Amino acid sequence: SQKIEQNSEALNIQEGKTATLTCNYTNYSPAYLQWYRQDPGRGPVFLLLIRENEKEKRKERLKVTFDTTLKQSLFHITASQPADSATYLCAFSGGYQKVTFGTGTKLQVIP
Amino acid sequence: GAVVSQHPSWVICKSGTSVKIECRSLDFQATTMFWYRQFPKQSLMLMATSNEGSKATYEQGVEKDKFLINHASLTLSTLTVTSAHPEDSSFYICSAQEGQEQNNEQFFGPGTRLTVL
């Protein structure tokens, strides 16, 4: 079965630096890969979606890459701010309707 | 963006009682709604998918008689946890999307914290 791994349970980074989060998967490449932000005690908030045939997607300070050869997606936050501190989840949707989530990486941006 | 609400935001109940959680799409029609459960420091686990007007599709290992899902209208889905036990204590989150296409964005509710004593 498909397994999704987010490399770090937690990541600390200095304000102003670029945060890079990794999402790896096994088996087949998903048709769609999504990144969400989740704050404590709240539901996830959608950030970006990238399709299997896309290499990169950008939205303001966010960038997502999708490498089907490495079976990996990278999520970058440039010029990180303390307000970016949250848990970030990657999620897959393949040939089915449902979305499968990774366990998340808790990002802490230190002022 | 579209807004999804959940009610209640938290609930404490005694073991053996039933609890109903509501999920509403406030400004769009949600053809499909999803119910997730999240335990501390774990990811969201899909429990079931419901399409308006039809029976919910449950994930493997989720008891359909224990977790009753009703999606009676395009703006409301309910999850009832029947005969709740302490192991059912968790964070329950719903999401909603327009249409049934898998690339349609899902909008998540704020979650409901259930504590069973």
Side-chain angles (χ1 to χ4, degrees), chain A residues 6 9 31-32 34 36 38 41-47 49 51 89-90 93-104, chain B residues 32 34 36 38 41-46 49 51 59 91 93 97 99-111 113:
Chain A
Q6 293 190 242
E9 191 173 314
Y32 308 96
Q34 303 167 46
Y36 290 80
Q38 186 176 24
R42 307 290 296 174
V45 174
F46 172 80
L47 297 175
L49 178 149
R51 293 177 173 78
L89 306 167
C90 73
S93 53
Y96 306 94
Q97 203 178 16
K98 71 177 185 180
V99 176
T100 303
F101 285 86
T103 51
Chain B
T32 307
F34 304 86
Y36 295 85
Q38 187 176 33
K41 294 193 176 182
Q42 294 187 26
S43 190
L44 285 78
M45 297 301 296
L46 180 66
T49 301
N51 294 303
E59 294 299 301
F91 192 50
I93 306 172
Q97 70 177 40
Q100 299 180 25
E101 296 298 316
Q102 64 182 343
N103 60 330
N104 286 356
E105 182 178 343
Q106 287 188 34
F107 300 96
F108 285 81
R113 173 76 57 192

Side-chain angles (χ1 to χ4, degrees), chain A residues 10-67:
Chain A
L11 177 67
N12 294 330
I13 193 163
Q14 206 70 35
E15 181 178 4
K17 300 291 186 183
T18 297
T20 299
L21 286 66
T22 306
C23 181
N24 295 295
Y25 61 93
T26 58
N27 300 333
Y28 60 87
S29 289
Y32 308 96
L33 192 151
Q34 303 167 46
W35 283 88
Y36 290 80
R37 169 184 174 139
Q38 186 176 24
D39 290 286
R42 307 290 296 174
V45 174
F46 172 80
L47 297 175
L48 280 168
L49 178 149
I50 187 166
R51 293 177 173 78
E52 187 179 13
N53 60 352
E54 296 176 321
K55 297 289 185 186
E56 183 179 297
K57 207 76 167 285
R58 290 176 185 262
K59 180 182 176 182
E60 298 174 353
R61 293 186 295 112
L62 309 180
K63 184 177 84 172
V64 171
T65 62
F66 193 179
D67 189 326

Side-chain angles (χ1 to χ4, degrees), chain B residues 20-45:
Chain B
K20 180 186 280 189
I21 302 170
E22 291 185 350
C23 177
R24 292 182 185 272
S25 58
L26 299 185
D27 50 4
F28 68 101
Q29 294 187 323
T31 308
T32 307
M33 285 185 168
F34 304 86
W35 285 95
Y36 295 85
R37 182 166 51 181
Q38 187 176 33
F39 292 104
K41 294 193 176 182
Q42 294 187 26
S43 190
L44 285 78
M45 297 301 296

